[in-house]
Amino acid sequence: QVQLVESGGGLVQAGGSLRLSCAASGRSFSTYVYTMGWFRQAPGKEREFVAAINWSGGSTIVADSVKGRFTISRDNAKNTVTLQMNSLKPEDTAVYYCAAGFGGTKYVPPLTDFTSWGQGTQVTVSS
């Protein structure tokens, strides 16, 4: 079982930046086989894809809505995944979830590609 714990959420003004981190652990966890992703869910909306990175960090994909503003990265030695969010907008307000799975990054991965999820961290962007 893989445990994922997000941190770094908070309240920020529009145009500001936040850096989310996801720490992965678990007896069977091996960073080197998992694709890691970030999703978000705003009140009254479905959970949506934000970004994903393959096991080596050599391939990433981000949603069109955050392209050029958000960057995903990973440190396999530390079992962490980071989402750097710049130029934040009020519409980025949501609970952000870290996820681990076995899908690819050549296309936008569906939620079903991910088998483990964190509890989420709130990001609020004020106008």
Side-chain angles (χ1 to χ4, degrees), residues 45-117:
K45 295 187 177 181
E46 295 185 349
R47 192 169 298 190
E48 66 174 6
F49 170 78
V50 176
I53 187 167
N54 76 335
W55 66 275
S56 69
S59 177
T60 64
I61 183 170
V62 296
D64 288 343
S65 59
V66 305
K67 194 167 293 182
R69 300 188 298 121
F70 291 13
T71 303
I72 187 172
S73 60
R74 68 189 295 166
D75 185 338
N76 287 344
K78 297 181 179 180
N79 288 350
T80 58
V81 180
T82 300
L83 184 68
Q84 178 66 43
M85 306 186 295
N86 299 327
S87 302
L88 284 161
K89 304 175 181 180
E91 51 263 44
D92 294 319
T93 295
V95 177
Y96 283 70
Y97 297 90
C98 176
F102 298 97
T105 54
K106 295 187 182 300
Y107 56 89
V108 174
L111 272 70
T112 51
D113 274 8
F114 295 88
T115 55
S116 297
W117 294 83

Side-chain angles (χ1 to χ4, degrees), residues 9-28:
L11 173 64
V12 64
Q13 289 187 334
S17 299
L18 280 176
R19 186 178 180 91
L20 303 184
S21 292
C22 173
S25 62
R27 187 175 62 180
S28 63

Side-chain angles (χ1 to χ4, degrees), residues 26-42:
R27 187 175 62 180
S28 63
F29 182 76
S30 175
T31 311
Y32 296 95
V33 300
Y34 282 89
T35 291
M36 302 298 294
W38 287 95
F39 289 76
R40 67 186 182 185
Q41 188 166 17

